[in-house]
Amino acid sequence: MPAVSHEIGALDDRLLDDAVAAFYAAQVEHAHLIQHLAVAHDLNPVDLRALKFLGAADVDRTPKELGTYLEMGTGAVTALLDRLTKRGLLDRVRNPDDRRSVRIELSADGFAIVGTLRSAYRAVLHSSLPRESAEIFIEFTGRMADAFRAASTADVEHTTGK
């Protein structure tokens, strides 16, 4: 009986390794897509990630939230915001609840770039996701996002001792 359990475990490890390899291959191709779209819009990939973050929720964000997401310090975030503001892709708006702080909102041009990215994602999913698997995919990617968040939080707690 233990030998069978070991074989099942080995099969699970092999399948898990195959899943990791497939996920890694998808990440590599996603990075290529992001690089391609960034270059097409005369941006660098970090600029595009910032726009994607700002366009992901229907709320204005703060520079601090953007810096936390991008894991950048205040000086780098300020330079990024200056660059994107100069390009007309976002606006800094006074926070009506706290006049000392600003909120960041995408401009129409910023939303257009985020729309291009979303269209690319839609095309990829349309060509690769069978309709009958869409709900499973949505549930799976949500759980995966939660697991990544937990893993990164655990990693931060482990490395910082917090």
Side-chain angles (χ1 to χ4, degrees), residues 136-156:
I136 293 168
F137 176 79
I138 292 165
E139 182 182 329
F140 166 73
T141 53
R143 286 194 326 260
M144 197 161 77
D146 292 342
F148 277 132
R149 190 175 308 107
S152 66
T153 302
D155 186 50
V156 167

Side-chain angles (χ1 to χ4, degrees), residues 32-162:
H32 288 153
L33 174 63
I34 293 296
Q35 180 67 32
H36 170 76
L37 291 173
V39 169
H41 293 285
D42 196 28
L43 298 168
N44 67 51
V46 173
D47 294 350
L48 189 58
R49 283 183 61 217
L51 294 176
K52 186 169 109 173
F53 173 74
L54 295 170
D58 195 23
V59 296
D60 296 343
R61 303 289 188 143
T62 65
K64 183 177 181 176
E65 290 169 325
L66 179 61
T68 299
Y69 170 73
L70 296 174
E71 297 183 346
M72 296 170 66
T74 54
V77 170
T78 298
L80 170 78
L81 293 176
D82 289 346
R83 188 169 59 248
L84 295 175
T85 300
K86 185 177 179 181
R87 288 275 314 273
L89 301 176
L90 60 83
D91 297 305
R92 292 178 175 119
V93 179
R94 286 272 168 229
N95 184 343
D97 299 325
D98 180 0
R99 292 181 41 192
R100 297 169 294 155
S101 69
V102 295
R103 311 277 306 158
I104 309 163
E105 60 184 36
L106 290 177
S107 68
D109 289 344
F111 273 114
I113 291 174
V114 171
T116 301
L117 180 60
R118 286 186 179 152
S119 292
Y121 286 160
R122 288 175 58 92
V124 166
L125 291 172
H126 184 265
S127 69
S128 63
L129 181 63
R131 181 171 176 71
E132 63 275 7
S133 300
E135 288 182 18
I136 293 168
F137 176 79
I138 292 165
E139 182 182 329
F140 166 73
T141 53
R143 286 194 326 260
M144 197 161 77
D146 292 342
F148 277 132
R149 190 175 308 107
S152 66
T153 302
D155 186 50
V156 167
E157 290 171 355
H158 175 72
T159 57
T160 63
K162 293 181 182 176

Side-chain angles (χ1 to χ4, degrees), residues 11-24:
L11 178 62
D12 288 347
D13 286 345
R14 187 173 40 242
L15 284 174
L16 192 55
D17 287 344
D18 289 347
V20 168
F23 182 70
Y24 180 72

Side-chain angles (χ1 to χ4, degrees), residues 1-8:
M1 199 67 137
V4 171
S5 176
H6 178 70
E7 283 184 25
I8 292 172

